[in-house]
Amino acid sequence: MSDWLSYRPSDFLMFAPRTYWRLFELHNSAWWPAQPLAVLAGLCWVGWLFSVPARRGASELALRAGAAGLSAAWLFVGLAFVLDRYAVVNWAASGFAVGFVLQALDLTALVTRSDLRTVAPGPRRHIGLALCFWALLGHPLLALAFGRPWTQAEVFGLAPDPTAIATLGLLLCAAAQRRVTAWLLRALWTLTVAWCVVSSATLWTLGSAQGWVLMGLTLVSLVAAWRWPQDAAKSRHLPTSATGAGANPSANPKEPL
């Protein structure tokens, strides 16, 4: 027992920090120039959601487009990076890849939900857009900030962490009016936060302070979701059937939980 107590988390790590960051360098080299295209597409989406009016139809279309894009990103990252590269040095990554595929399927299902709504303009939505902006432009710069070459930058749509951060941002902008959609959003929250916790722990074990950045952003998203509930926009986005003659919106059983 005394021997087990002498072990530290780093003793169970199957790869060195240099090996871990080298994975991103190889991945970036193999898929160039997908990085600037992914970032440009993400910035266009953030600008679209930020500029459209918060009314039914306009912002919801932007939200669905973002969910569709993130679905493709989670699937690509799960297969091309987590399974094809990360699993080579970490046997547990094969299980992580399954979670990434599930995320992609969940996001795809979310796109089809007619009751998916965008929250009203306010702190929650602004924080969500800020997280997306960070994932696109801020997170890749951490490579330089922590003394690594820019070729090892983690880019949205190709690396797990910025893709997860952007997903947290989108989830802060999303609201549900029916139970099924609410469960889809909760599942997305659960899997995304779970990855952020796992990745932060890995970074801490590698001795990288970058883990604190990822965990800090995750906590910011959770606090924003708790402080400003997603049903803040329900009065702006009641279904048409709930606003007809004789309808009582307060008695509508399909409002958010």
Side-chain angles (χ1 to χ4, degrees):
M1 178 63 73
S2 60
D3 292 337
W4 281 103
L5 294 176
S6 65
Y7 282 96
R8 297 175 298 175
S10 58
D11 295 324
F12 297 94
L13 202 63
M14 294 170 283
F15 49 89
R18 181 177 180 181
T19 301
Y20 180 74
W21 298 118
R22 175 67 172 163
L23 294 177
F24 293 101
E25 185 173 357
L26 295 172
H27 189 58
N28 286 331
S29 176
W31 290 99
W32 178 264
Q35 294 84 348
L37 297 177
V39 171
L40 179 60
L43 288 174
C44 290
W45 177 80
V46 171
W48 182 12
L49 188 60
F50 179 79
S51 61
V52 294
R55 65 169 182 264
R56 184 175 179 179
S59 58
E60 277 70 20
L61 179 60
L63 193 64
R64 284 186 172 81
L70 280 172
S71 175
W74 278 90
L75 183 62
F76 175 80
V77 173
L79 297 179
F81 180 80
V82 179
L83 186 61
D84 191 43
R85 296 189 185 276
Y86 194 24
V88 175
V89 299
N90 185 357
W91 61 268
S94 298
F96 299 155
V98 174
F100 275 66
V101 173
L102 290 176
Q103 281 283 85
L105 293 175
D106 195 338
L107 283 160
T108 300
L110 192 67
V111 175
T112 67
R113 300 300 301 171
S114 61
D115 63 305
L116 181 67
R117 297 289 181 264
T118 308
V119 298
R124 176 180 173 126
R125 184 171 173 177
H126 295 157
I127 292 173
L129 291 173
L131 286 175
C132 292
F133 191 79
W134 169 267
L136 293 167
L137 295 181
H139 206 82
L141 298 178
L142 291 181
L144 298 177
F146 286 98
R148 302 191 306 274
W150 66 270
T151 53
Q152 295 180 358
E154 298 170 87
V155 181
F156 163 79
L158 283 88
D161 290 357
T163 303
I165 294 170
T167 304
L168 293 175
L170 179 137
L171 290 174
L172 285 175
C173 297
Q177 289 191 308
R178 293 184 180 139
R179 191 180 300 273
V180 173
T181 307
W183 278 106
L184 289 174
L185 290 175
R186 288 168 187 161
L188 286 169
W189 273 105
T190 300
L191 288 174
T192 306
V193 171
W195 170 258
C196 291
V197 171
V198 169
S199 186
S200 296
T202 301
L203 292 169
W204 292 331
T205 305
L206 290 171
S208 174
Q210 190 169 317
W212 293 107
V213 177
L214 179 58
M215 183 53 63
L217 294 173
T218 304
L219 292 175
V220 166
S221 69
L222 291 173
V223 170
W226 171 80
R227 178 63 180 81
W228 297 282
Q230 67 175 21
D231 62 354
K234 65 183 180 183
S235 61
R236 292 173 177 256
H237 301 298
L238 288 174
T240 303
S241 60
T243 57
N248 182 6
S250 63
N252 181 16
K254 295 182 179 180
E255 290 183 3
L257 296 178

